[in-house]
Amino acid sequence: MIKVAMTGVYVDDVAAAHAFYTDVLGFETRLHMDLGDDTLFVAVGAPAGAQPELQLLLEPGQGPIAESYRTALYEAGIPCIVFSVDDLLAEYGRLRGLGVRFTHPPQRQGPVLAAVFDDSCGNLVQLIQPKE
């Protein structure tokens, strides 16, 4: 059986993204290594007990491939990643209270309730809550 172990998100600034994804979104640090020359290798994941085998790598977004990819996604309004939550309205309120800017408030999209926010690191991120 093949399972996802790690996926990445290109970010403007790895240290700032690490702070946002842990302090604001509530992820925990899984890996944090200084590779020298101001290069960090940082991976985060869901808090203890939830998806322990899955990590999100916060990758430096500089360079022509990453920059054009991120810019195209952002300008088209396409989220770079989707996270699920148990209660989207509560999470929306919590994140707005922390100053997170949403580009799309919660709305029904087929089988899910969805919202999109700016991660302050150059990306749009979608939150979804499956609906019965």
Side-chain angles (χ1 to χ4, degrees):
M1 172 193 323
I2 297 175
K3 299 187 303 182
V4 176
M6 182 181 286
T7 189
V9 172
Y10 291 116
V11 297
D12 291 338
D13 179 315
V14 173
H18 181 235
F20 180 83
Y21 279 75
T22 56
D23 298 343
V24 177
L25 297 185
F27 285 96
E28 65 182 21
T29 303
R30 299 280 177 82
L31 295 168
H32 191 285
M33 297 172 23
D34 186 341
L35 303 177
D37 296 327
D38 295 322
T39 303
L40 295 174
F41 185 81
V42 177
V44 298
Q51 298 178 305
E53 71 284 355
L54 182 58
Q55 298 179 72
L56 177 63
L57 179 62
L58 304 174
E59 299 190 67
Q62 294 71 31
I65 294 172
E67 288 174 4
S68 61
Y69 170 75
R70 289 179 343 127
T71 299
L73 284 178
Y74 197 94
E75 288 177 354
I78 299 172
C80 69
I81 195 161
V82 178
F83 299 132
S84 66
V85 296
D86 294 328
D87 184 341
L88 181 59
L89 295 179
E91 198 62 32
Y92 174 75
R94 182 185 79 80
L95 292 173
R96 284 199 48 173
L98 292 171
V100 174
R101 184 179 71 81
F102 279 78
T103 60
H104 296 290
Q107 57 192 356
R108 185 176 271 290
Q109 292 182 342
V112 299
L113 185 61
V116 177
F117 67 86
D118 185 315
D119 76 352
S120 75
C121 305
N123 301 295
L124 296 176
V125 175
Q126 186 173 48
L127 296 178
I128 63 164
Q129 175 188 342
K131 300 303 281 182
E132 289 81 44

